[in-house]
Amino acid sequence: MNLPLSTDDITFETFLQELPEDFRELAYEFKALCRSRKIKTPEDLLQVVMSYCGLDASLREVAGLFTLREERISDTAIHRRLQACVPWVKVLLGRLMSEGTECVQEGALRLVIVDGTTVQSPGATGTEYRVHVSLDLVSGQLLHAVVTDEQVGEHLDHAPLQEGDVVVVDRGYNQVRMWIDQADRGVSVVARYHPHGVRLYEADRDEALDIAQRLDEHPTHPICLPVEVRDAQRRGYLKGFLHALPLPPDQAAMARRRTRAAAKQKGRQPQQRTLKLAGWVLIWTTLPPSLLPTATIMALYRVRWQVELAIKRLKSILDLNQLRARKDSVLADLYLHGKLLYAWVVEKRLRRRPSHSAQRLDQPRRATPWRAWTLMHRELTAAISEVHRWSQERWAEALEVMQERPRRRALQTVPERVRQLIADCRAWGVSNI
């Protein structure tokens, strides 16, 4: 018998069940809740936080929602309470993220994809924050996320990589020292190679490898070259393999057009070497070809697109990029970490739903996570809003706390003469003026 969701299924209590058991004690420990006035419990406070961060309600809308559920409160009071919640929310997020790391089965091969995205508030002229995301490639599970300012670039230190992991990254992670550090930790790297960023060397040769010349020797066939990268400052080196796959003629021509267009925007002419390399896909890895040959490495790198889709889900479904607070403000910090906390709860609840394992990439798939994320977002919206608890007697108060601030330009009304005509018609009981 199929039963519909009951009221108990969409209460805020169902959201709280996904959090660490000691979330209440942590609220007092990190001084998110020091005095119980109108917001009396950690549960009420977290509901306010999730209304602002998870549901993207404005401060006045959060005040209106709280007024309908509990008692009248102003948006200024909401603002002050939210500012105190940042350390608490960060601890809760860290606990949830550590659950995903701890549940890795010992001895299991873990493929990790890492990427970053930018976030900026409305009207910003450039990047204000970066969110660095790590994803389990096979299960699609979010593993970790770090929020930094625009000065911090992409780096594998943002990801909780472990010995035995294989990490797949794009060309933004072409840093020799970073590759060597990860190899020392037992992490294997598969990276889109940037020929203008990192030099490759053949063993026992001091001159850098001329990649374009070597590719000319096999212009139509994939090749694999044993190479090494060198860190001049530390005088260290790391052995690896460069896999090269020529693009089909039409795709190569398109890639070269994009290269010319990008160079033209910068007022430059692309070099012939650059145009030649644009017709190839270059992947550098520490994994030997006896384990993963060129065709497999290329196919594995294409699956890296899943982290791009995960970031797009965070932005298009959960509105991660709808930051309304000013850069470097406490509310901006709270919003970004609170949004990630909300995303981890979405992910955790989905993992327990039937057929979730059908979305794993180590088996044939017929579905993507998009619609499941959308449905769960709607379910949690209902749980956080708790419409069934709204008091109709407080409706007028809720509208009052949400009303506009006094402004220099008043809200529009009809002209005074028209208002007088309306009053006269009402008094006379006529409508034809």
Side-chain angles (χ1 to χ4, degrees):
M1 181 177 180
N2 293 325
L3 297 176
L5 288 174
S6 66
T7 303
D8 293 339
D9 295 322
I10 54 174
T11 62
F12 190 60
E13 182 64 28
T14 61
F15 183 95
L16 298 176
Q17 291 172 359
E18 311 298 341
L19 301 178
E21 294 182 358
D22 60 345
F23 77 91
R24 298 174 183 85
E25 292 78 6
L26 291 171
Y28 294 104
E29 179 182 345
F30 288 91
K31 295 181 171 39
L33 190 65
C34 296
R35 292 180 294 176
S36 299
R37 291 185 175 178
K38 296 188 177 182
I39 301 179
K40 299 177 174 61
T41 66
E43 291 87 341
D44 290 341
L45 183 56
L46 192 59
Q47 196 166 13
V48 167
V49 171
M50 285 299 105
S51 296
Y52 180 75
C53 301
L55 307 188
D56 293 286
S58 66
L59 293 176
R60 271 176 248 172
E61 290 169 344
V62 174
L65 288 171
F66 188 85
T67 300
L68 286 171
R69 287 193 307 265
E70 303 293 342
E71 59 179 298
R72 178 166 180 159
I73 193 172
S74 68
D75 61 317
T76 303
I78 292 290
H79 189 182
R80 287 198 298 267
R81 287 304 186 100
L82 289 177
Q83 286 182 314
C85 292
V86 177
W88 181 40
V89 169
K90 288 183 177 180
V91 169
L92 294 178
L93 174 61
R95 293 281 189 87
L96 287 185
M97 290 192 298
S98 64
E99 289 179 6
T101 304
E102 293 170 357
C103 68
V104 177
Q105 183 179 357
E106 185 177 355
L109 174 63
R110 191 173 70 157
L111 301 173
V112 181
I113 39 180
V114 179
D115 204 0
T117 186
T118 61
V119 176
Q120 44 274 331
S121 57
T125 57
T127 298
E128 294 185 337
Y129 294 94
R130 284 193 174 92
V131 181
H132 309 268
V133 179
S134 307
L135 195 76
D136 187 297
L137 185 149
V138 176
S139 67
Q141 175 184 341
L142 289 168
L143 295 177
H144 200 261
V146 176
V147 179
T148 67
D149 60 24
E150 77 282 7
Q151 302 297 329
V152 180
E154 296 173 324
H155 202 283
L156 290 178
D157 284 349
H158 299 314
L161 298 174
Q162 305 171 356
E163 183 178 358
D165 285 348
V166 176
V167 60
V168 184
V169 293
D170 65 9
R171 65 180 64 192
Y173 294 83
N174 274 225
Q175 301 177 41
V176 174
R177 183 174 299 179
M178 179 173 62
W179 289 350
I180 294 177
D181 290 342
Q182 294 302 323
D184 291 341
R185 296 169 53 192
V187 176
S188 301
V189 178
V190 177
R192 182 76 178 263
Y193 175 65
H194 186 13
H196 304 291
V198 174
R199 292 183 178 183
L200 299 180
Y201 297 85
E202 293 180 296
D204 302 325
R205 299 196 64 174
D206 295 332
E207 294 183 358
L209 176 67
D210 189 340
I211 301 173
Q213 182 180 355
R214 293 298 299 271
L215 295 181
D216 282 341
E217 299 174 5
H218 307 276
T220 60
H221 297 87
I223 61 174
C224 175
L225 300 174
V227 293
E228 61 184 40
V229 293
R230 299 173 183 174
D231 183 0
Q233 294 182 355
R234 294 187 180 181
R235 298 183 179 180
Y237 71 95
L238 176 64
K239 293 184 178 181
F241 302 87
L242 178 68
H243 297 266
L245 178 69
L247 291 171
D250 56 338
Q251 295 182 24
M254 185 181 301
R256 293 186 178 103
R257 284 196 298 270
R258 288 196 298 264
T259 301
R260 290 190 181 96
K264 185 177 181 180
Q265 282 188 333
K266 298 177 181 179
R268 298 200 301 257
Q269 286 289 336
Q271 299 178 2
Q272 289 301 315
R273 177 178 179 271
T274 303
L275 293 174
K276 184 181 298 182
L277 293 175
W280 290 77
V281 178
L282 304 175
I283 306 293
W284 186 89
T285 180
T286 54
L287 296 170
S290 58
L291 183 63
L292 294 181
T294 299
T296 304
I297 282 290
M298 295 295 171
L300 176 62
Y301 181 79
R302 285 194 291 271
V303 185
R304 192 203 66 86
W305 185 247
Q306 293 300 314
V307 72
E308 303 278 1
L309 296 177
I311 291 173
K312 191 172 183 180
R313 286 195 295 273
L314 291 173
K315 288 188 171 184
S316 62
I317 298 178
L318 303 190
D319 296 324
L320 175 65
N321 57 338
Q322 296 300 313
L323 178 63
R324 298 183 304 277
R326 296 191 305 273
K327 182 179 182 295
D328 296 329
S329 67
V330 177
L331 281 188
D333 200 16
L334 173 73
Y335 179 85
L336 292 172
H337 289 90
K339 181 67 74 175
L340 291 173
L341 176 64
Y342 181 83
W344 250 260
V345 171
V346 170
E347 180 105 329
K348 188 175 179 180
R349 289 173 70 87
L350 281 176
R351 288 200 299 270
R352 293 201 304 270
R353 294 299 166 93
S355 303
H356 177 70
S357 60
Q359 296 177 1
R360 291 177 58 89
L361 271 68
D362 57 352
Q363 59 189 17
R365 297 193 304 156
R366 295 188 61 186
T368 69
W370 283 86
R371 293 180 181 88
W373 270 66
T374 301
L375 290 176
M376 184 54 65
H377 178 41
R378 291 175 181 172
E379 180 180 315
L380 289 179
T381 298
I384 294 170
S385 300
E386 287 194 311
V387 178
H388 62 279
R389 290 184 54 203
W390 291 7
S391 172
Q392 298 304 316
E393 288 82 12
R394 289 195 290 269
W395 186 262
E397 286 184 298
L399 293 180
E400 190 173 345
V401 300
M402 292 190 297
Q403 68 185 5
E404 301 293 327
R405 290 280 189 272
R407 55 177 68 183
R408 182 176 301 176
R409 182 175 180 178
L411 296 176
Q412 282 190 325
T413 59
V414 297
E416 176 61 24
R417 177 58 180 159
V418 174
R419 189 191 65 80
Q420 187 61 48
L421 281 175
I422 294 173
D424 291 344
C425 289
R426 185 181 297 115
W428 299 334
V430 298
S431 59
N432 189 343
I433 61 175

